[in-house]
Amino acid sequence: MRPKLQFLKINLFVICLLMANMAYSQCPDFAYISANTKCIFLTWNTIPGALPTTITYNSVTYGYLSGSGATADAAIYRDTAPGSGACNANQSLILTGVVYIPEPCAYLNGVLPLNLVSFEGQKINNLNHLKWQTSLEKNTNLFEVESSVNGQKFEKIGTVQSKNNNSNEVNEYSFIDATISDQPIYYRLKSIDMDGATSNSKVIAIKGIDDFNKIKAFPSPTTGVVNINVISESNIGTMAKLLDLSGKQIMSFPVTKKILPIDLQQLNKGLYVVRFNNGEFVKIIKE
């Protein structure tokens, strides 16, 4: 066994020697890309022997533009096709894919393959509409939509599948939350890639409904599920009835909570009434 071990040591020494004689011997430690995706910034903790002339990211070739590669001086690479575009380091973000560079640095791994361009929300017809835009998606799996009543403890309320088109184009997404509240509701996105890596967005808030106690059903008109706001808590624990305009009972159901969802998808179009045990009622329009 001893001769084999000696042979292995010699091979390792030769490999290390060859690596040391390459054009440059140290790989970049960090990679940033400009907000307009035109330029990439590479930084080193150890000054390389020489800088690569080109690098490739998302099948786009970036040519060397400026920088020495010193620890305080990022080397800048610009998109060679069309070969123009500003390089704004102040708006740069950590590269979230794989930057391929010449040997011996086969690649530099980023954090998460996604650039979240925007994330915003607004209340429309008492429903909270969320929308966001992304670019540079690569290896992205899905988005988890999370909500919170205090902006600190978040819970998942839904998922949206990523388009994951591996391109620089802008992708648009949306999600509707039917939660009704008189207090602000906070939202954030959790991006999850194919490998399980995650990244959270900024937190946004949508204000509550000012006339919360006057809202009885939403959305109405509806094509499917309608949410009933059970204003009188004395109705909770009792049975409610769904009636048509002639007074015929269509169904009955238990009142189990303050916001009660009712599925009307199988019903014909028209006006219906939900009547509670204490005589209160709510009108619903099915489209």
Side-chain angles (χ1 to χ4, degrees):
M1 294 296 295
R2 189 174 297 277
K4 291 184 178 180
L5 288 174
Q6 187 67 26
F7 178 75
L8 179 60
K9 290 180 181 178
I10 293 174
N11 274 334
L12 289 175
F13 174 76
V14 171
I15 292 173
C16 292
L17 184 63
L18 289 173
M19 293 287 284
N21 284 282
M22 291 282 187
Y24 60 102
S25 58
Q26 295 86 22
C27 300
D29 296 283
F30 298 97
Y32 299 83
I33 191 166
S34 60
N36 58 13
T37 72
K38 291 295 184 181
C39 302
I40 289 179
F41 306 82
L42 298 183
T43 61
W44 281 260
N45 285 336
T46 304
I47 299 175
L51 297 175
T53 56
T54 61
I55 59 175
T56 304
Y57 172 68
N58 273 358
S59 302
V60 177
T61 300
Y62 294 78
Y64 172 78
L65 180 65
S66 64
S68 63
T71 55
D73 183 20
I76 302 176
Y77 292 80
R78 186 169 60 190
D79 185 356
T80 58
S84 62
C87 297
N88 191 341
N90 293 328
Q91 295 180 1
S92 64
L93 51 104
I94 296 176
L95 256 184
T96 56
V98 176
V99 181
Y100 294 90
I101 58 180
E103 293 293 344
C105 303
Y107 57 87
L108 175 68
N109 285 311
V111 181
L112 185 69
L114 175 72
N115 175 25
L116 185 62
V117 178
S118 64
F119 176 44
E120 54 190 20
Q122 65 178 135
K123 188 176 299 297
I124 302 176
N125 294 329
N126 293 320
L127 298 176
N128 290 345
H129 290 247
L130 306 175
K131 63 179 181 179
W132 61 97
Q133 294 181 330
T134 68
S135 66
L136 301 175
E137 283 192 38
K138 185 175 183 180
N139 198 39
T140 309
N141 185 15
L142 54 84
F143 302 93
E144 289 186 351
V145 182
E146 300 179 327
S147 70
S148 170
V149 295
N150 57 16
Q152 297 180 349
K153 183 180 180 181
F154 286 84
E155 296 182 353
K156 183 178 76 171
I157 60 173
T159 59
V160 177
Q161 193 66 38
S162 165
K163 297 179 180 179
N164 195 14
N165 52 14
N166 294 328
S167 72
N168 291 340
E169 70 182 49
V170 173
N171 300 306
E172 296 186 350
Y173 298 90
S174 62
F175 182 86
I176 298 176
D177 180 22
T179 301
I180 184 171
S181 174
D182 57 347
Q183 300 296 318
I185 300 180
Y186 301 86
Y187 296 94
R188 75 180 182 189
L189 289 177
K190 177 180 288 185
S191 306
I192 304 177
D193 74 357
M194 298 295 185
D195 301 321
T198 64
S199 177
N200 292 328
S201 73
K202 67 177 182 179
V203 176
I204 64 173
I206 299 180
K207 72 175 185 177
I209 300 174
D210 295 331
D211 52 353
F212 175 79
N213 290 327
K214 296 180 181 179
I215 301 299
K216 294 185 178 182
F218 66 98
S220 182
T222 180
T223 58
V225 176
V226 62
N227 296 283
I228 305 298
N229 182 11
V230 184
I231 296 176
S232 298
E233 294 191 8
S234 62
N235 286 317
I236 297 178
T238 65
M239 297 293 293
K241 300 176 181 179
L242 180 68
L243 312 172
D244 64 15
L245 283 183
S246 68
K248 178 183 177 181
Q249 179 176 318
I250 306 300
M251 68 174 83
S252 64
F253 48 87
V255 182
T256 58
K257 51 187 176 180
K258 184 73 173 177
I259 303 299
L260 191 66
I262 303 175
D263 190 350
L264 305 181
Q265 294 185 59
Q266 304 303 317
L267 299 184
N268 295 326
K269 296 180 179 180
L271 180 65
Y272 295 87
V273 174
V274 174
R275 186 174 297 277
F276 294 98
N277 187 60
N278 66 352
E280 291 180 351
F281 63 90
V282 178
K283 295 180 180 179
I284 303 170
I285 299 175
K286 168 66 189 308
E287 289 186 337

